[in-house]
Amino acid sequence: MSQLHIINHPLITHKLSIMRNKKTGSKDFRELLNEIAMLMGYELTRDLPLEDVTIDTPIQKMKAKMISGKKLAIVPILRAGLGMVDGLQSLVPVAKVGHIGLYRDPETHKPVEYYCKLPLDIEDRIVILVDPMLATGGSASDALTMLKARGCKHIRFMCLVAAPEGVKKVQDDHPDVDIYTAALDERLNEHAYIVPGLGDAGDRIFGTL
Ligand code: PRP
Ligand code: URA
């Protein structure tokens, strides 16, 4: 069963509160989003397996531990997911990056696919799918289906703010995918925006308000 991890470290919660404030401009919003993505990435990678390797320190040989096993891929859902990539890549610089383009139809609130470009070896990687907002869950669920159709078997979903409706949708559709969020908000409003949320994440990142 999919697990919901709420990563409410004080630094993350504090930065998120600044982002929620409607007076916070795009520059600060972007910087804070990347900082939070990096801090969340630290938790999300906590269970990566280590292996013994032998190295020479300047003093002597030793058995040290290094990350083993599958390599990572970061896949943002365009546009807003792009705002979390730099933060995660600063933590895992060798991760490859794929892109999935989805937008929500303003009338139906259903996701519409317009782009998909993934690393060739995506099926051999642990995939971190990222999007700051999990609202109805339609976009995340469709993106997960697209990844699985291309052979991905080990996927984690990372967002900033989740609504209970979105968590339920992803857990129902993808019980094998754990969700990592910085906050679980109250509900969706009549426009399928998260309440209290932070507004339209893509518009706030890119200044298209
Ligand atoms: C936002 C957000 C998610 C989606 C969440 O994207 O970044 O992708 O909505 O909503 P859902 O859970 O109800 O599907 P949007 O469609 O506004 O596109 P954008 O990132 O290009 O602005
Ligand atoms: N997309 C956003 O950017 N914000 C919401 O609250 C819901 C969907």
Side-chain angles (χ1 to χ4, degrees), residues 138-160:
S139 303
S141 179
D142 278 15
L144 290 166
T145 302
M146 290 164 71
L147 289 169
K148 289 180 182 175
R150 286 155 181 87
C152 301
K153 288 172 207 70
H154 304 279
I155 316 174
R156 298 158 189 212
F157 176 67
M158 180 171 132
C159 60
L160 188 65

Side-chain angles (χ1 to χ4, degrees), residues 1 29-31 37 43 52 54 64 76 86 114 149 207:
M1 175 62 186
F29 192 92
R30 276 196 305 274
E31 285 173 5
E43 277 303 317
D52 287 334
T54 305
D86 286 352
Y114 61 90

Side-chain angles (χ1 to χ4, degrees), residues 41-60:
Y42 183 77
E43 277 303 317
L44 187 134
T45 50
R46 183 176 280 286
D47 63 347
L48 291 184
L50 294 169
E51 65 182 355
D52 287 334
V53 293
T54 305
I55 58 168
D56 292 312
T57 77
I59 309 297
Q60 66 164 49

Side-chain angles (χ1 to χ4, degrees), residues 30-90:
R30 276 196 305 274
E31 285 173 5
L32 290 160
L33 181 56
N34 270 312
E35 287 169 21
I36 293 177
M38 191 179 72
L39 292 167
M40 289 182 74
Y42 183 77
E43 277 303 317
L44 187 134
T45 50
R46 183 176 280 286
D47 63 347
L48 291 184
L50 294 169
E51 65 182 355
D52 287 334
V53 293
T54 305
I55 58 168
D56 292 312
T57 77
I59 309 297
Q60 66 164 49
K61 241 184 221 320
M62 71 169 282
K63 265 207 186 113
K65 294 201 182 291
M66 296 191 75
I67 290 174
S68 71
K70 293 186 186 307
K71 304 230 166 6
L72 295 182
I74 301 163
V75 178
I77 302 177
L78 307 179
R79 294 175 297 169
L82 287 174
M84 303 174 92
V85 173
D86 286 352
L88 277 174
Q89 263 195 315
S90 62

